[in-house]
C-alpha cells in the first residue's frame, strides 16, 4: 500500500492518544495520531516522523502521523489502519475464491473471511509496532478486544473453520512476534489457548518506506 502526499517532521509531544505536536517546516502543528497504542518507545521528543497530508478540508487536523524513525531499526509504520490494507493486498495473491472483510462471527467482527474450495477461513489481523531486542511484541497496551477475537477464533476451530491470527510487523528486520504478557497477560493466555486449539499464528514481515508498506514474507509460528 502507498500513501498519497507525505512530508517529514520532528516529533515534539503527545498531549493525548489521539493527537501529537510535531514541528513541520519550523512551525509546531497539531496532528492526528493513527494509533491509539502507547508507542512510548517510538514517540520520543526529537524523533523523525512522516505525516500524510489529508485531502479533507473539513478536518480539524491537516496531517496524520503515520511513521516514526527508530534508531538502529529504521522506519516504523504506526498507522493502525495499514495492517488490514496490506493484508487485503496480500490475500488477493493467495488464490482464495472469496475474500470478505469485516465478517460478523458470533459477537465479533472478524477482519477477514475467506474460502478456498470447501474450506472456510477466518483471519484476525494485528499490527505490531513494538520491538525489543530484535523481537516484535503485541500488544503495547491492554486489548480486551484482542482477547475477545482470539476466543472467537478458538470457538470457530471447533466448528470447522481454519483460523489464523496474523501479525503484520510494521518494521523491517523483525520476523517473530510474541505476546507481550508483561503488558497484558490475558492476551498471552488467550493466544496460547488459541494455538493449542489449532489457530495458526502467522507473522507477516514487511518492507517499510517513508510512504509505503508491503508484505514481503510470511512465517507460521511452530
Amino acid at each position: 500500500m502507498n500513501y498519497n502526499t507525505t512530508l517529514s517532521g520532528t516529533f515534539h509531544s503527545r498531549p493525548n492518544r489521539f493527537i501529537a505536536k510535531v514541528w513541520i517546516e519550523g512551525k509546531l502543528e497539531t496532528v492526528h495520531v493513527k494509533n491509539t497504542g502507547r508507542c512510548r518507545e517510538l514517540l520520543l521528543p526529537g524523533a523523525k516522523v512522516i505525516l500524510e497530508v489529508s485531502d479533507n478540508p473539513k478536518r480539524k487536523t491537516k496531517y496524520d502521523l503515520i511513521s516514526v524513525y527508530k534508531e538502529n531499526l529504521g522506519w516504523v509504520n504506526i498507522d493502525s489502519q495499514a495492517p488490514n490494507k496490506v493484508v487485503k493486498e496480500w490475500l488477493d495473491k493467495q488464490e482464495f475464491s472469496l475474500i470478505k472483510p469485516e465478517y460478523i462471527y458470533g459477537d465479533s467482527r472478524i477482519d477477514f473471511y475467506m474460502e478456498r474450495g470447501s474450506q472456510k477461513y477466518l483471519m484476525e489481523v494485528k499490527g505490531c509496532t513494538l520491538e525489543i531486542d530484535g523481537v516484535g511484541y503485541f500488544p503495547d497496551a491492554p486489548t480486551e478486544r484482542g482477547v475477545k477475537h482470539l476466543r472467537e477464533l478458538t470457538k470457530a476451530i471447533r466448528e470447522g473453520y481454519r483460523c489464523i491470527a496474523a501479525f503484520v510487523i510494521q518494521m523491517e528486520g523483525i520476523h517473530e512476534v510474541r505476546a507481550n504478557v508483561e503488558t497484558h497477560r490475558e492476551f498471552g493466555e488467550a493466544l496460547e489457548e488459541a494455538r493449542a486449539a489449532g489457530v495458526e499464528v502467522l507473522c507477516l514481515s514487511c518492507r517499510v518506506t517513508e510512504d509505503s508498506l508491503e508484505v514481503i514474507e510470511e512465517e507460521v509460528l511452530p
Side-chain angles (χ1 to χ4, degrees), residues 119-131:
Q119 181 63 62
K120 298 179 180 180
Y121 296 74
L122 291 176
M123 173 184 280
E124 183 62 21
V125 177
K126 304 297 180 188
C128 175
T129 62
L130 174 61
E131 176 267 341

Side-chain angles (χ1 to χ4, degrees), residues 2 28 30 46 56 66 79 84 90 104 106 128 137 172 175 185 202 206:
N2 294 282
L28 192 60
T30 298
N56 182 356
I66 56 173
D79 180 356
N84 280 43
W90 178 77
I104 301 296
C128 175
Y137 286 86
E172 293 191 357
H175 305 282
R185 180 170 297 277
L202 182 64
C206 291

Side-chain angles (χ1 to χ4, degrees), residues 54-222:
S54 173
D55 58 3
N56 182 356
K58 296 183 180 180
R59 274 187 38 162
K60 292 182 179 180
T61 54
K62 185 178 179 180
Y63 307 103
D64 290 315
L65 199 165
I66 56 173
S67 298
V68 187
Y69 190 85
K70 183 177 181 181
E71 293 296 329
N72 302 317
L73 184 62
W75 288 108
V76 180
N77 182 295
I78 64 167
D79 180 356
S80 60
Q81 296 176 5
N84 280 43
K85 293 179 181 178
V86 296
V87 166
K88 177 59 168 61
E89 292 177 350
W90 178 77
L91 286 174
D92 285 340
K93 304 174 184 176
Q94 304 306 309
E95 298 181 353
F96 288 102
S97 56
L98 176 66
I99 302 171
K100 185 180 295 186
E102 300 292 314
Y103 182 75
I104 301 296
Y105 175 81
D107 295 326
S108 297
R109 189 183 295 272
I110 303 298
D111 287 321
F112 292 99
Y113 166 85
M114 301 92 73
E115 291 181 1
R116 180 184 287 146
S118 61
Q119 181 63 62
K120 298 179 180 180
Y121 296 74
L122 291 176
M123 173 184 280
E124 183 62 21
V125 177
K126 304 297 180 188
C128 175
T129 62
L130 174 61
E131 176 267 341
I132 303 173
D133 297 329
V135 177
Y137 286 86
F138 181 92
D140 83 333
T143 171
E144 295 300 332
R145 182 172 176 268
V147 171
K148 179 183 178 183
H149 287 158
L150 287 175
R151 290 180 173 157
E152 293 281 24
L153 293 183
T154 301
K155 174 185 174 184
I157 284 283
R158 296 192 292 268
E159 297 179 359
Y161 289 87
R162 184 171 173 181
C163 297
I164 305 164
F167 292 97
V168 175
I169 305 173
Q170 295 171 258
M171 47 201 160
E172 293 191 357
I174 309 300
H175 305 282
E176 178 187 358
V177 179
R178 301 175 187 172
N180 187 2
V181 293
E182 291 187 4
T183 294
H184 196 183
R185 180 170 297 277
E186 188 181 6
F187 180 85
E189 293 171 350
L191 184 61
E192 286 307 307
E193 291 170 4
R195 292 180 67 180
V199 175
E200 295 180 22
V201 178
L202 182 64
C203 294
L204 297 173
S205 300
C206 291
R207 178 181 293 112
V208 184
T209 72
E210 295 183 13
D211 61 358
S212 69
L213 187 70
E214 178 188 8
V215 174
I216 59 172
E217 186 178 348
E218 60 184 276
E219 182 173 347
V220 179
L221 292 186

Side-chain angles (χ1 to χ4, degrees), residues 1-17:
M1 60 159 287
N2 294 282
Y3 293 95
N4 294 320
T5 305
T6 61
L7 49 77
S8 60
T10 303
F11 181 80
H12 177 272
S13 59
R14 189 179 186 181
N16 60 53
R17 63 179 182 159

